[in-house]
Amino acid sequence: MATTLQFCRLCTRTDTASRHNNRAGVLALRRRQPVNVRSSGQELPSSAVAVGAEFDAKQFRHNLMRSDKYNRRGFGHKEETTELMNQHYASDIIKKLKENGYEYTWGNVTVKLAEAYGFCWGVERAVQIAYEARKQFPDEKIWITNEILHSPSINKRLEEMEVKYIPVEEGKKQFDVVNKGDVVVLPAFGAAVEEMVTLNDKNVQIVDTTCPWVSKVWTTVEKHKKGDYTSIIHGKYSHEETVATASFAGKYVIVKDMKEAEYVCDYILGGELNGSSSTKEAFLEKFKKSVSKGFDPDIDLVKVGIANQTTMIKGETEEIGKLVEKTMMRKFGVENVNEHFISFNTICYGAQERQDAVHKLVEEKIDLILVVGGWNSSNTSSLQVIAEDRGIPSYGIDSEKRIGPGNKIAYKLMHGELVEKENWLPKGQITIGVTAGASTPDKAIEDVLKKVFEIKREEAL
């Protein structure tokens, strides 16, 4: 069954302005002269000041956000950029699914779409602000400190708009390419405070697309720091968001999963949890890339607080929090736990909704699940873990290019292993579940489904 293409709007606007080609749309973002959007006479500290142990990251960011060099709300071009985003990312197939209770049949393929999937509010906001930045600054050089999101299609669009990455040499960003008057975008994951100080020194226009849920975690670790608590951060130490969060923390240790959390707790209890830990030297070797400078587990695990990378699996973060709390009760007594443990809810509701929707989807009668999103996307891999844990054939792909030729697919397992499979689509009538990471646009899902429909159509010939 075919459908008529009608773009699914990213906002509540209902007008259907004419669709320009992509090149014209990109060029349209480069026609308005820049203006200052904020003003402040307040001086900000330089990086020379920032290197000291007494540097107040919270106060620095507070001052930066009030300077005339900083913007995190956009530039008033929402109508024009929303139209262009719809042209780039909306999908008539997804629109059809949503209009029919998230389920529809095309020929011999029934598709069941997770009720929460793809673009979350924070992602849409980040992309919108980046598009507005190009329109506001049509002639300036625009840099971005990392991928704005782990989304191949969105990152490609920004590259077409001549938004350039800060070059990296030997693992270090080369900020010397950035000059006074340039524009620098901070991605949705945020940026380390050291990078913000460097950019402030260079007197550039900073466009901050950091997700508010991420900055909420920063506030949490700052509270830990103020109370002399060590932050136990549930996340991946090399992920851009966790790197940024750690830069606002005082003492910290990053644990990627329950197993590593158990190791930390076992060390706190002197090996009486499960015996997985051993010496101080072994602890520091195990977490050598995941602890703050000068970390001493014998001193720095007496008072602890929980924080998380917002895209981690909600249930695991909660279980880690419970484990650490019970550990501190056991170590210091129930009556003293509040002096040794602190916890704030830092779970992102957008990530939580998508995980809950997949839990619901795997209860349906389906033959397989497609999980669409960047292979380096943590929130996408969290969705795949849920599907794989249920034993349902699950295929994590970053684009439609991973399907074909013929009935073949290249996909990644939840632990990152790349595999190929022939005849992955069963013959005959099939029902497939579909979900997507929070940075995956509807158009990317549509492109994947079109490949599926093509394979099944050829099978029927």
Side-chain angles (χ1 to χ4, degrees):
M1 183 180 297
T3 60
T4 302
L5 287 181
Q6 293 181 331
F7 284 110
C8 178
R9 294 286 169 181
L10 292 168
C11 64
T12 57
R13 291 180 65 241
T14 56
D15 97 273
T16 52
S18 61
R19 297 165 193 144
H20 305 292
N21 62 55
N22 288 338
R23 178 63 177 164
V26 170
L27 291 175
L29 289 178
R30 308 193 66 179
R31 291 182 184 145
R32 184 167 298 191
Q33 294 300 314
V35 296
N36 284 336
V37 295
R38 298 197 180 195
S39 62
S40 171
Q42 194 165 19
E43 290 294 323
L44 296 171
S46 71
S47 56
V49 178
V51 295
E54 299 303 315
F55 175 66
D56 190 335
K58 180 180 180 180
Q59 188 61 47
F60 167 78
R61 186 166 180 265
H62 176 84
N63 293 340
L64 178 65
M65 290 171 66
R66 283 153 181 77
S67 78
D68 59 359
K69 301 183 295 185
Y70 177 93
N71 180 283
R72 69 190 293 263
R73 300 183 184 278
F75 299 92
H77 308 309
K78 189 171 184 177
E79 183 173 333
E80 304 101 305
T81 53
T82 295
E83 178 60 31
L84 187 56
M85 287 171 65
N86 280 313
Q87 293 175 30
H88 288 170
Y89 305 125
S91 160
D92 55 313
I93 288 179
I94 298 302
K95 183 172 185 289
K96 175 68 71 173
L97 281 161
K98 293 169 75 173
E99 289 174 344
N100 289 273
Y102 293 84
E103 181 176 341
Y104 199 75
T105 299
W106 286 269
N108 55 0
V109 181
T110 296
V111 178
K112 292 186 177 183
L113 179 67
E115 293 180 7
Y117 71 95
F119 268 14
C120 66
W121 170 78
V123 164
E124 185 176 328
R125 171 186 173 275
V127 178
Q128 183 97 50
I129 293 172
Y131 271 52
E132 288 195 33
R134 176 41 86 195
K135 185 168 183 64
Q136 184 69 21
F137 303 102
D139 301 316
E140 283 79 356
K141 282 186 178 179
I142 298 185
W143 304 92
I144 189 164
T145 58
N146 283 305
E147 291 182 339
I148 190 168
L149 304 156
H150 290 155
S151 172
S153 58
I154 293 174
N155 292 323
K156 184 174 184 295
R157 288 291 183 188
L158 291 180
E159 288 177 14
E160 291 171 356
M161 294 178 189
E162 298 183 28
V163 176
K164 301 180 182 298
Y165 294 112
I166 303 291
V168 177
E169 292 182 8
E170 297 182 353
K172 294 185 178 181
K173 292 176 186 171
Q174 305 300 305
F175 283 101
D176 56 346
V177 301
V178 181
N179 297 311
K180 179 179 179 180
D182 288 355
V183 179
V184 180
V185 177
L186 308 184
F189 309 113
V193 68
E194 295 85 358
E195 294 183 357
M196 296 184 195
V197 172
T198 297
L199 295 173
N200 172 63
D201 287 352
K202 286 182 167 289
N203 197 30
V204 299
Q205 176 70 46
I206 296 174
V207 178
D208 189 355
T209 74
T210 303
C211 175
W213 281 103
V214 173
S215 55
K216 179 182 177 183
V217 182
W218 297 352
T219 300
T220 294
V221 298
E222 285 166 342
K223 289 178 180 177
H224 294 169
K225 182 179 180 180
K226 185 177 181 180
D228 201 27
Y229 289 85
T230 292
S231 297
I232 297 180
I233 304 171
H234 178 212
K236 302 172 182 177
Y237 71 82
S238 60
H239 191 281
E240 299 95 322
E241 180 188 327
T242 299
V243 169
T245 295
S247 76
F248 284 92
K251 295 291 184 179
Y252 66 83
V253 56
I254 300 166
V255 296
K256 68 178 179 180
D257 52 27
M258 179 58 80
K259 185 176 180 180
E260 288 194 350
E262 288 175 346
Y263 186 100
V264 171
C265 290
D266 187 69
Y267 189 89
I268 292 171
L269 294 173
E272 294 182 3
L273 178 66
N274 58 15
S276 59
S277 67
S278 58
T279 65
K280 175 179 175 178
E281 290 72 24
F283 184 105
L284 293 174
E285 176 62 24
K286 181 177 181 65
F287 293 103
K288 61 184 177 183
K289 296 182 179 179
S290 308
V291 293
S292 50
K293 186 176 181 180
F295 190 87
D296 185 337
D298 293 336
I299 298 172
D300 298 325
L301 292 175
V302 173
K303 296 176 65 178
V304 298
I306 298 296
N308 70 306
Q309 181 183 311
T310 59
T311 54
M312 302 301 281
I313 295 176
K314 176 193 72 169
E316 187 170 44
T317 295
E318 292 174 336
E319 289 303 311
I320 288 172
K322 292 176 184 177
L323 171 65
V324 175
E325 182 179 27
K326 290 178 181 177
T327 296
M328 303 313 275
M329 287 180 179
R330 184 172 168 181
K331 177 76 172 180
F332 299 103
V334 174
E335 68 279 8
N336 300 314
V337 69
N338 291 336
E339 298 175 17
H340 298 274
F341 175 78
I342 189 170
S343 179
F344 303 95
N345 181 11
T346 58
I347 294 172
C348 168
Y349 288 127
Q352 177 180 329
E353 287 172 353
R354 279 146 190 77
Q355 291 170 21
D356 291 345
V358 174
H359 279 295
K360 183 177 178 180
L361 184 62
V362 296
E363 297 295 333
E364 301 274 346
K365 187 176 181 180
I366 52 179
D367 296 299
L368 57 92
I369 288 184
L370 278 167
V371 182
V372 185
W375 278 343
N376 57 346
S377 166
S378 179
N379 77 82
T380 303
S381 63
S382 293
L383 299 177
Q384 183 153 357
V385 167
I386 296 168
E388 288 192 18
D389 282 349
R390 286 300 299 269
I392 298 171
S394 174
Y395 303 95
I397 59 175
D398 59 350
S399 77
E400 83 285 356
K401 295 177 182 178
R402 306 301 175 182
I403 300 176
N407 191 4
K408 180 181 179 180
I409 190 169
Y411 64 101
K412 279 198 173 181
L413 301 175
M414 63 181 180
H415 298 299
E417 181 185 356
L418 178 62
V419 296
E420 291 186 351
K421 185 175 181 179
E422 299 277 1
N423 301 315
W424 68 284
L425 285 175
K427 293 187 179 296
Q429 190 73 32
I430 63 171
T431 300
I432 64 174
V434 177
T435 189
S439 55
T440 305
D442 288 1
K443 183 63 168 59
I445 306 171
E446 176 181 278
D447 291 342
V448 167
L449 288 174
K450 283 182 175 178
K451 279 290 191 78
V452 172
F453 298 157
E454 180 183 335
I455 293 171
K456 297 298 289 183
R457 188 165 50 246
E458 291 178 356
E459 173 196 299
L461 294 178

